[in-house]
Amino acid sequence: MEEIKKYFIKTYGCQMNVHESEKLAGMLVSLGYTECSNEKDADVIVFNTCCIRDGAEQKVFGNVGALKKLKKSKPNLIVAICGCMTQQKDRVEIFKEKFKFVNIIFGTHNLNQFKNYLIEYNKTHKNLYEVWDNEKEIDENVEMYRTSKLNAWVNIMYGCNNFCSYCIVPYVRGRERSRNMQDIVEEVKGLIKEGYKVITLLGQNVNSYGNDINDKNVTFANLLKEISMLDGDFRLKFMTSHPKDLTDEVIDVIANSPKISKAIHLPVQSGSSKILKSMNRKYTREHYLELVKKIKAKIPDVFLTTDIIVGFPGETDEDFNETISLVKEVNYGGVFGFMYSKRTGTVAETMPDQIPDDIKHKRVNELLNLSKSMIKEQNKLLVGKTLEVLIEEQKDDGTFVGVTDSGKNVVINENVNVATYYNAKVDAIVGNKLIAKIVK
Ligand code: 5AD
Ligand code: SF4
């Protein structure tokens, strides 16, 4: 009997990459490979990389480098690298020169070719490096191997046209391309039928969904409306929203649909209008705060989270203090804080007044500590409240764990069904977990 070949995929970066790894896995499974949990057991190792910050790239270089020994002891091991890093020519050169044991290199635009590359490599055993410079038509014939039985990710668009001055994404992911609305709706229908309970629509900027399609009915608001009207006990999420494109219509659709999650990720990046301008974000502090006010008025139980970059070129103490005051004013449920990282080819790369690392560290720590203490205060207020909880699994000790709409972990010490929504009343908070009882 032929031995079953195994694969191991290491994913870096955002949800988009996590989902694209499901596509890589789908191709591997269709070729007869099975997943393994340890790279030492694998016949194929794929690194799906991220280049959003230097730290992400250094991690990849370190982890790929560490494979050298394994590859020596296992010469038939196939090592493949793809993702955002390989869309940059100079990074591909580094992989080719420093890590000669890497066998297959491809990019984000030709991700769907991986299956062909693997077949080819298995025939010829010749290293194969192919990265497409430009995006092509969206390929709808993708095999997927989903990693969760409850959460499904669905791409609605690819690429980004915004060119925030710090960001590498528009360079490595190309221009915005929206999927056909009917294709998306059909995919979601299939997922609901299969029993998925949380559907997350993915795009770099979901609010500009449909802008590249010549049909005024193809909008993000209409897409949300159509999906939220489907039958089934599911919740609909989406990420990421650019504040400049979040329309009143979208806010109304979210407010009016019980199936649409009230957790909205709305990256502000900075609380200083001066910095926002030089980031090319196309809104001011005042606009953003107005938008938040409007959202809170229409969706009183909204749970807002955000991304913030500290230490952007030219950011003074006053600018950073404006960020801190905005975070307090919005009272976010969660803040993802990042230290600015210079990216080759972006407008901000050559800006004057780059900020020293020690100041970036100090600022990001202050921001994250503030966020932590805000979450603690908010959690205290949840005691006594009834929340909707999706039960995810039963632990060895017999208790069940679930998750709220806003992503908080909940412990339930009663008999409940997995993959089912319940209303539960919060009794206590332990660490960052909510202890709750089912409301009958
Ligand atoms: N440096 C630091 N953080 C960045 N992000 C994007 N580009 C950079 C960069 N050059 C952050 C932004 C974005 C999140 C995904 O990553 O906050 O919203
Ligand atoms: Fe990057 Fe800005 Fe596009 Fe987001 S909207 S991916 S931060 S360029």
Side-chain angles (χ1 to χ4, degrees), residues 88 90-91 163-168 171 278-279 311-314 340-355 360:
Q88 306 169 92
D90 55 338
R91 305 300 196 265
F163 290 93
C164 300
S165 63
Y166 49 81
C167 186
I168 191 86
Y171 302 90
S278 94
M279 285 177 162
F312 185 79
Y340 168 70
S341 169
K342 223 189 223 187
R343 302 287 71 202
T344 316
T346 59
V347 171
E349 184 193 7
T350 50
M351 282 184 181
D353 303 321
Q354 299 277 337
I355 306 297
K360 286 185 196 165

Side-chain angles (χ1 to χ4, degrees), residues 19-72:
H19 183 43
E20 279 176 355
S21 286
E22 295 186 329
K23 298 180 187 174
L24 296 167
M27 293 183 248
L28 285 155
V29 168
S30 78
L31 289 175
Y33 288 86
T34 57
E35 190 181 9
C36 65
S37 53
N38 188 329
E39 57 185 22
K40 289 195 177 69
D41 301 326
D43 299 287
V44 178
I45 299 179
V46 188
F47 288 88
N48 189 7
T49 64
C50 168
C51 62
I52 196 91
R53 284 170 290 275
D54 184 56
E57 293 200 299
Q58 294 313 324
K59 228 190 268 167
V60 172
F61 282 135
N63 293 354
V64 174
L67 268 193
K68 197 172 175 177
K69 242 170 107 189
L70 185 64
K71 177 84 182 182
K72 245 193 187 145

Side-chain angles (χ1 to χ4, degrees), residues 166 243 266-281 283-289 306-316 318-327 330 332 335-336 338 363 367:
Y166 49 81
L266 197 63
V268 65
Q269 311 297 357
S270 168
S272 146
S273 292
K274 178 193 99 190
I275 295 294
L276 288 169
K277 187 159 198 305
S278 94
M279 285 177 162
N280 193 30
R281 290 291 289 178
Y283 54 82
T284 60
R285 171 193 177 89
E286 291 70 32
H287 284 142
Y288 186 91
L289 287 172
T306 201
D307 290 345
I308 287 173
I309 297 177
V310 303
F312 185 79
E315 185 188 66
T316 60
E318 288 74 42
D319 294 317
F320 176 65
N321 287 338
E322 285 201 71
T323 297
I324 292 288
S325 86
L326 180 135
V327 168
V330 178
Y332 289 110
V335 175
F336 299 88
F338 307 106
R363 288 182 184 163
L367 181 64

Side-chain angles (χ1 to χ4, degrees), residues 79-296:
V79 180
I81 304 190
C82 63
C84 291
M85 258 177 108
T86 56
Q87 279 304 139
Q88 306 169 92
K89 287 199 170 70
D90 55 338
R91 305 300 196 265
V92 172
E93 287 314 306
I94 297 176
F95 283 124
K96 285 194 332 205
E97 266 183 29
K98 279 201 168 164
F99 309 105
K100 294 206 165 64
F101 56 87
V102 172
N103 306 108
I104 304 176
I105 297 180
F106 56 106
T108 59
H109 299 318
N110 58 339
L111 179 117
N112 294 349
Q113 301 297 313
F114 174 53
K115 187 171 171 175
N116 297 336
Y117 299 148
L118 196 54
I119 293 172
E120 172 87 9
Y121 182 85
N122 274 325
K123 266 194 230 149
T124 63
H125 294 281
K126 277 207 185 100
N127 289 351
L128 206 157
Y129 311 129
E130 186 169 303
V131 178
W132 294 352
D133 286 339
N134 294 307
E135 58 273 18
K136 297 259 159 65
E137 291 261 298
I138 295 172
D139 183 357
E140 284 295 335
N141 297 312
V142 227
E143 296 149 280
M144 254 174 262
Y145 179 75
R146 295 188 187 268
T147 40
S148 159
K149 293 274 166 276
L150 293 179
N151 294 283
W153 290 280
V154 175
N155 280 125
I156 63 165
M157 59 184 303
Y158 301 88
C160 179
N161 290 355
N162 288 317
F163 290 93
C164 300
S165 63
Y166 49 81
C167 186
I168 191 86
V169 169
Y171 302 90
V172 294
R173 290 276 175 175
R175 296 295 66 73
E176 288 176 0
R177 289 96 66 206
S178 300
R179 280 179 72 196
N180 186 312
M181 193 138 125
Q182 236 25 62
D183 288 334
I184 300 170
V185 173
E186 285 308 313
E187 183 177 341
V188 173
K189 268 189 197 163
L191 292 166
I192 298 168
K193 225 177 174 178
E194 282 178 56
Y196 285 94
K197 296 294 168 194
V198 183
I199 311 282
T200 306
L201 306 180
L202 290 180
Q204 245 78 42
N205 175 16
V206 289
N207 300 105
S208 55
Y209 169 74
N211 285 358
D212 56 319
I213 293 179
N214 196 8
D215 178 344
K216 65 174 186 346
N217 292 319
V218 178
T219 62
F220 186 54
N222 284 345
L223 178 68
L224 282 181
K225 239 188 261 173
E226 194 155 328
I227 297 178
S228 64
M229 281 181 325
L230 296 174
D231 286 336
D233 195 18
F234 68 95
R235 297 297 171 269
L236 183 60
K237 298 192 168 199
F238 54 86
M239 65 194 306
T240 294
S241 288
H242 193 307
K244 79 176 165 56
D245 299 314
L246 187 59
T247 60
D248 288 2
E249 207 189 347
V250 169
I251 300 172
D252 287 335
V253 176
I254 301 168
N256 296 328
S257 169
K259 283 188 183 162
I260 302 181
S261 164
K262 305 297 179 256
I264 305 177
H265 187 56
L266 197 63
V268 65
Q269 311 297 357
S270 168
S272 146
S273 292
K274 178 193 99 190
I275 295 294
L276 288 169
K277 187 159 198 305
S278 94
M279 285 177 162
N280 193 30
R281 290 291 289 178
K282 301 194 174 83
Y283 54 82
T284 60
R285 171 193 177 89
E286 291 70 32
H287 284 142
Y288 186 91
L289 287 172
E290 265 313 300
L291 177 65
V292 168
K293 220 192 237 169
K294 200 156 52 180
I295 296 173
K296 285 184 176 172

